[in-house]
Amino acid sequence: MTLNRRTLLKGLAAAPAAGAVFSIPRFANAAEIQLRYGNNLPLSHPLNIRAKEAADRIAKETDGKVEMLIFPANQLGGDTDMLSQVRSGALTFFTPSSLVIATLVPTAALNAVGFAFKDYEQVWKAMDGPVGKIVRDKIADARLYAMETMWDNGFRQTTTSGDPITNADGMNGLKIRVPVSPLSIDMFSALGASPTSLQFSEVYSALQTKVVDAQENPLPIIQVSKLYEVQKNCALSNHIWDGYWFIANGRQWSGLADDVKTVVSRAINEAGLKQREDIAGLNSGVQADLEKAGLAFNKVETDSFRAKLKENGFYSKWSKEFGDEAWSALESVVGSLA
């Protein structure tokens, strides 16, 4: 099934009715096993659409003996709440971004090292390969289980209300909003910017009132949040890639029969691969829509950003933070950073 891009964009901005939960096909016999899955995205986001397909497949392939109930759009609380719930077993599954689960498993932030990945080919080579394996092992140490397929969130881009940013010098003194993430704050500081951590709900007004002059987010978020109304230029910086880990409560997962694990993991992992394709298709059209809305785009000299981060000790600092094993796994894909 190919997802319609405009439908997805509308879904990204929409909130489902309170208490809504995806239904699954009902069979003659009641489900013997119920898997509860929570996330922070709207119903029409590709993650939820593909998770619904996985739930349908699980129900069908187990003759209704196993059902996965999906609670989207923070219905069960915010990311911190759901991470706590999946750890305690109140939730079976949760899909935190790497920066969210990094609060529990610091190594999970490895994919968010600034300007590490040049393109999606490197991203999936790392996350389906050595980087993903190390992170999954660390997640297991936290008594959680991570599915093999990581789901996509996208590359983050940089918008400004002033002149276009074409190289690292354009970051000097730039007042930019960043997430509440030590890695992000440190990266922009090393680039010479003046980063400010704000909740996302505050971003539009902060840009409008010039509390900050710039921000960074994936293109679909820039569109649905209408940030193009208060921003002039968008640098295709691809400075950070982030994705979602599909994690399970370790005790519940290990307690499932092997045949059930096979059905559930296959359905979720294959749905994740389709979700990656959805995001790729979504991103390819969003830029054109934003250009029509008046946002100007430009490419950047990525090497100048890497050079400045290296010069200011960002990579050497974080290579020590992550440790030799994790850092070597990242560099085995992207090349030398520190």
Side-chain angles (χ1 to χ4, degrees):
M1 180 181 73
T2 300
L3 303 181
N4 180 277
R5 180 167 57 85
R6 295 195 179 278
T7 298
L8 293 175
L9 290 173
K10 291 179 181 178
L12 287 169
V21 62
F22 276 144
S23 63
I24 65 171
R26 294 295 174 178
F27 293 78
N29 298 320
E32 298 174 5
I33 300 172
Q34 192 174 82
L35 310 174
R36 292 164 55 86
Y37 162 46
N39 65 68
N40 63 3
L41 294 169
L43 285 168
S44 295
H45 189 279
L47 181 143
N48 273 316
I49 292 173
R50 296 305 183 181
K52 171 61 164 58
E53 290 181 3
D56 291 345
R57 181 175 174 183
I58 290 166
K60 181 178 180 180
E61 294 185 5
T62 63
D63 293 325
K65 294 179 180 179
V66 181
E67 64 178 358
M68 184 168 77
L69 298 178
I70 305 173
F71 299 85
N74 292 319
Q75 289 176 11
L76 302 180
D79 286 336
T80 302
D81 297 318
M82 287 187 284
L83 184 58
S84 177
Q85 289 169 36
V86 78
R87 293 184 71 194
S88 70
L91 274 176
T92 312
F93 296 121
F94 173 44
T95 39
S97 73
S98 59
L99 291 176
V100 170
I101 198 169
T103 60
L104 175 65
V105 183
T107 306
L110 189 59
N111 61 264
V113 169
F115 295 92
F117 297 117
K118 294 180 180 179
D119 51 36
Y120 267 113
E121 182 179 355
Q122 286 191 341
V123 166
W124 299 132
K125 185 177 180 180
M127 304 318 296
D128 293 338
V131 174
K133 184 181 185 307
I134 285 177
V135 174
R136 288 196 304 275
D137 288 346
K138 297 294 184 181
I139 290 173
D141 290 342
R143 299 181 181 179
L144 297 167
Y145 176 83
M147 296 290 175
E148 292 183 0
T149 297
M150 195 174 189
W151 297 42
D152 194 12
N153 188 18
F155 279 99
R156 300 175 80 92
Q157 316 298 352
T158 308
T159 67
T160 71
S161 58
D163 294 333
I165 295 173
T166 58
N167 55 46
D169 290 340
M171 287 286 179
N172 291 333
L174 184 69
K175 295 187 295 181
I176 184 169
R177 177 268 174 182
V178 300
V180 184
S181 161
L183 189 61
S184 295
I185 294 170
D186 203 34
M187 181 188 74
F188 282 102
S189 296
L191 289 171
S194 297
T196 298
S197 292
L198 296 171
Q199 296 296 323
F200 185 72
S201 59
E202 303 175 76
V203 173
Y204 187 99
S205 61
L207 292 168
Q208 189 176 41
T209 57
K210 302 296 183 181
V211 172
V212 292
D213 297 318
Q215 67 83 47
E216 46 84 55
N217 264 297
L219 293 184
I221 301 300
I222 293 170
Q223 182 175 44
V224 299
S225 302
K226 299 184 177 181
L227 299 184
Y228 54 83
E229 294 179 347
V230 287
Q231 296 283 266
K232 180 180 177 183
N233 292 291
C234 180
L236 294 171
S237 50
N238 285 347
H239 53 277
I240 286 175
W241 175 84
D242 198 11
Y244 300 103
W245 285 106
F246 212 111
I247 63 171
N249 174 274
R251 178 177 52 80
Q252 288 189 34
W253 181 256
S254 63
L256 295 175
D258 288 344
D259 60 336
V260 173
K261 287 180 185 176
T262 297
V263 170
V264 173
S265 61
R266 182 173 58 222
I268 289 174
N269 285 324
E270 291 183 6
L273 294 176
K274 292 179 181 178
Q275 187 265 356
R276 293 180 184 182
E277 296 175 0
D278 297 335
I279 295 297
L282 186 62
N283 285 333
S284 66
V286 169
Q287 181 176 338
D289 291 342
L290 287 169
E291 286 175 332
K292 292 177 182 177
L295 192 64
F297 284 80
N298 65 272
K299 295 182 179 180
V300 303
E301 298 172 13
T302 304
D303 289 345
S304 70
F305 289 88
R306 280 192 173 192
K308 193 166 186 177
L309 289 176
K310 184 175 182 179
E311 177 186 348
N312 290 332
F314 172 80
Y315 293 126
S316 60
K317 172 185 175 179
W318 283 94
S319 67
K320 294 182 178 68
E321 292 284 339
F322 286 114
D324 291 342
E325 182 186 19
W327 195 260
S328 295
L330 178 63
E331 288 193 326
S332 72
V333 175
V334 304
S336 177
L337 293 170

